[in-house]
Amino acid sequence: MGPTLAISFGAGLASALLFATLASGSPLALILFYFAALPVLIAGLGWGHYAGAFAAAIGALALSLALRSQFGLFFFFSVGLPAWILSYAVLAWQPGADPEDPEQAVWISPGQILSLIGIGAVALTLFGIIALYGFDFDAFQAAIREAITRTLAQMRLGEGDREALIRLMAAAVPVAGAVVWTFVTTINLYFAGRIVRASGRLVRPWPDLPSLKLPKWTAVALLVGSIGSFAGGFPGQIAAIVLAVSLAVYALQGFALAHDITRGWGMRGFALGLLYALTFVIGWPMIFVALAGLADVLFDIRARRQPPAPPTPL
């Protein structure tokens, strides 16, 4: 018990320190901030979800004492609590056909974990908006527009261009925040799993990530978000967040599909590297990756694909 508490305590302090680096405002601090959940996830996956919960509480307490209570609460709800929930979900299992045989245990699938991350991204974004501004959408938009106006004050733009850019960014900021949280949390969970696995403390078997498959209900969320995003006001903002997060998780599904169908390719590394480079450098190809992921969920592309023919002997 003692070593577990020590690990949790250290993980909580490390996570709080990474979170607090954002106050410096430097680009490096932003990168470190994105990995604030990593120590809590490592503690939760390697030493049990109780260790993750303790690490989240320690991090929140440290920030509350060192800075202000608002920072501690923001850390707990945006970093600590989601990391603890994810570590709990990853380690959750049900007995198989033979309850006495641990090898037959049924673990939560990667697709379900990814859908849980998407739910968390939407819930946390809405929680942040409501906690700060309630349901006053005009006050929320006014605050964002004021912050963007200060940011663009140094740029030489025409009045019409400036106003159009402010409107666009005011609508995009909460959506982008939810999407970034989705990708960053997924990356943190992957790295934490790899680290804990390398240490030999990961109790569940490592899943076959290329065979990841999202639940079909996520397509309903994508449809609802697509239709609702045409609405105005707060409902339209919520729907836009749901749509963007759904596209983000389907993009990850599309990347998993690419990894799966390229198994055995001679130039697999080059093909996947080119896909990632085009997607993250140009940006818009991610829409097609997400559509491929959606098609895989709806029509089970991998099941329809014929297995490759055996090589012909020379």
Side-chain angles (χ1 to χ4, degrees):
M1 189 65 179
T4 300
L5 290 177
I7 290 292
S8 303
F9 190 83
L13 292 181
S15 185
L17 181 61
L18 291 171
F19 185 88
T21 57
L22 187 63
S24 70
S26 69
L28 177 60
L30 181 62
I31 296 175
L32 294 175
F33 168 78
Y34 283 149
F35 290 98
L38 185 60
V40 179
L41 286 168
I42 292 174
L45 295 179
W47 284 264
H49 68 91
Y50 292 110
F54 186 67
I58 288 296
L61 180 62
L63 285 170
S64 298
L65 294 176
L67 301 175
R68 288 185 296 178
S69 59
Q70 293 91 333
F71 286 97
L73 289 174
F74 184 64
F75 166 86
F76 182 77
F77 285 107
S78 65
V79 175
L81 182 61
W84 171 72
I85 292 175
L86 282 176
S87 62
Y88 180 87
V90 169
L91 299 180
W93 62 279
Q94 294 179 343
D98 184 3
E100 302 297 328
D101 186 2
E103 296 294 331
Q104 296 186 21
V106 180
W107 301 88
I108 186 171
S109 69
Q112 292 172 314
I113 295 173
L114 183 57
S115 62
L116 180 61
I117 292 175
I119 293 172
V122 174
L124 284 173
T125 305
L126 296 182
F127 174 78
I129 294 174
I130 294 172
L132 293 174
Y133 306 101
F135 292 94
D136 190 348
F137 182 71
D138 292 334
F140 166 64
Q141 283 289 296
I144 292 183
R145 289 171 65 90
E146 182 182 353
I148 295 172
T149 301
R150 288 198 302 267
T151 304
L152 298 179
Q154 306 301 322
M155 298 178 61
R156 295 182 178 179
L157 296 172
E159 191 59 34
D161 294 337
R162 185 185 301 274
E163 184 60 30
L165 185 58
I166 290 174
R167 278 200 309 271
L168 175 63
M169 293 181 67
V173 163
V175 173
V179 171
V180 169
W181 192 92
T182 301
F183 285 128
V184 167
T185 302
T186 303
I187 292 171
N188 274 320
L189 182 60
Y190 175 80
F191 283 157
R194 282 292 189 184
I195 292 170
V196 175
R197 184 192 184 197
S199 71
R201 297 195 62 91
L202 189 63
V203 296
R204 67 169 289 169
W206 187 259
D208 181 29
L209 295 180
S211 63
L212 178 149
K213 183 67 68 70
L214 287 166
K216 289 186 181 295
W217 64 260
T218 53
V220 178
L222 178 64
L223 177 62
V224 171
S226 301
I227 297 173
S229 61
F230 291 99
F234 199 42
Q237 184 74 79
I238 295 174
I241 293 171
V242 172
L243 172 61
V245 171
S246 299
L247 288 174
V249 297
Y250 271 111
L252 294 171
Q253 169 77 50
F255 286 125
L257 173 65
H259 278 264
D260 197 16
I261 64 178
T262 56
R263 295 185 205 253
W265 284 21
M267 299 184 66
R268 183 173 186 247
F270 174 78
L272 292 174
L274 182 62
L275 174 64
Y276 280 109
L278 290 175
T279 302
F280 289 100
V281 173
I282 300 177
W284 58 262
M286 188 171 291
I287 298 293
F288 296 100
V289 177
L291 291 176
L294 176 62
D296 186 36
V297 170
L298 294 179
F299 307 113
D300 203 1
I301 294 176
R302 284 176 261 201
R304 298 169 182 267
R305 191 170 60 95
Q306 295 295 327
T312 304
L314 297 177

